[in-house]
Amino acid sequence: MRSVIPPETMNIPLEDLQYVTSLEEIIYGGTLVAITLAMHGFGMVWTSRAIAAVKQRFARNESFVLGIGVIILASWMIILVHLVEVLVWAGFFLAKGAMPNFSLAYYFALLDYTTLGCPYNLPLHWRLLEGMIAIAGLMTFAWSTGVLLTLAQDFQDQQLQILKRRRAKLAHQPT
């Protein structure tokens, strides 16, 4: 026999028990996730092209500092892409009257996008979006991690090749 836990023992407000997921929420949430991923795709291509241009411009200089600089530049660009994506969610929350002002909407969206969670909640009829923004954030952070991992691997490979060349040069020098 299955026992049912009374809502009052779980500290669930009565109004929250009235929540029903709506098709409107699912459509808006799915659309916002799709927009976020499209923006992220554009942002990752933009980042990759910019980094390729920087690498080509400084191809002769294989320094450690330049390599780290490229990774830092890519990181800044990726952060900018994420912040713009959060802007779209915040704009939606503000446009739908789910948040009272832009600052709070952006703060809320950023905390939920990063899956930190926020002490505030959306109005009852938009609650599903709290989870959907976290899904969007998880997917885009995974994508960003892949881009940074590729750059970091290239940097490490380059540094190992420099080290091999130095060792080979030292090994062939007369003593």
Side-chain angles (χ1 to χ4, degrees), residues 7 14 31-33 35 37 39 45 52 58 72 79-80 83 90 108 110 113 118 122 124 136 150 168 173:
L14 184 59
T31 301
L32 285 164
V33 169
I35 290 168
L37 289 173
M39 290 174 67
V45 169
F58 297 103
I72 291 169
I79 289 168
L80 179 62
L83 292 174
F108 172 83
L110 183 62
Y113 179 85
C118 187
L122 292 173
L124 198 56
T150 299
Q173 285 182 349

Side-chain angles (χ1 to χ4, degrees), residues 22-86:
S22 70
L23 183 59
E24 178 186 29
E25 247 184 323
I26 293 168
I27 290 170
Y28 275 121
T31 301
L32 285 164
V33 169
I35 290 168
T36 303
L37 289 173
M39 290 174 67
H40 204 74
F42 175 79
M44 293 306 96
V45 169
W46 170 65
T47 299
S48 297
R49 286 182 179 175
I51 294 305
V54 169
K55 284 181 173 183
Q56 184 178 7
R57 168 74 172 87
F58 297 103
R60 291 185 180 177
N61 184 359
E62 294 182 329
S63 74
F64 181 85
V65 172
L66 180 63
I68 290 294
V70 164
I71 292 172
I72 291 169
L73 176 61
S75 297
W76 287 344
M77 293 175 76
I78 289 169
I79 289 168
L80 179 62
V81 170
H82 284 289
L83 292 174
V84 171
E85 292 162 3
V86 170

Side-chain angles (χ1 to χ4, degrees), residues 51 55 71 147-161:
I51 294 305
K55 284 181 173 183
I71 292 172
V147 170
L148 279 176
L149 181 63
T150 299
L151 291 172
Q153 187 65 53
D154 289 347
F155 168 71
Q156 290 173 172
D157 291 345
Q158 177 192 51
Q159 292 304 307
L160 288 174
Q161 289 302 317

Side-chain angles (χ1 to χ4, degrees), residues 122-169:
L122 292 173
L124 198 56
H125 62 282
W126 292 117
R127 290 277 166 88
L128 184 69
L129 297 183
E130 292 178 21
M132 294 185 89
I133 190 173
I135 290 170
L138 287 169
M139 289 192 291
T140 57
F141 281 119
W143 192 341
S144 297
T145 300
V147 170
L148 279 176
L149 181 63
T150 299
L151 291 172
Q153 187 65 53
D154 289 347
F155 168 71
Q156 290 173 172
D157 291 345
Q158 177 192 51
Q159 292 304 307
L160 288 174
Q161 289 302 317
I162 291 169
L163 185 60
K164 282 182 184 179
R165 287 194 301 265
R166 284 183 187 157
R167 287 183 178 166
K169 188 176 178 182

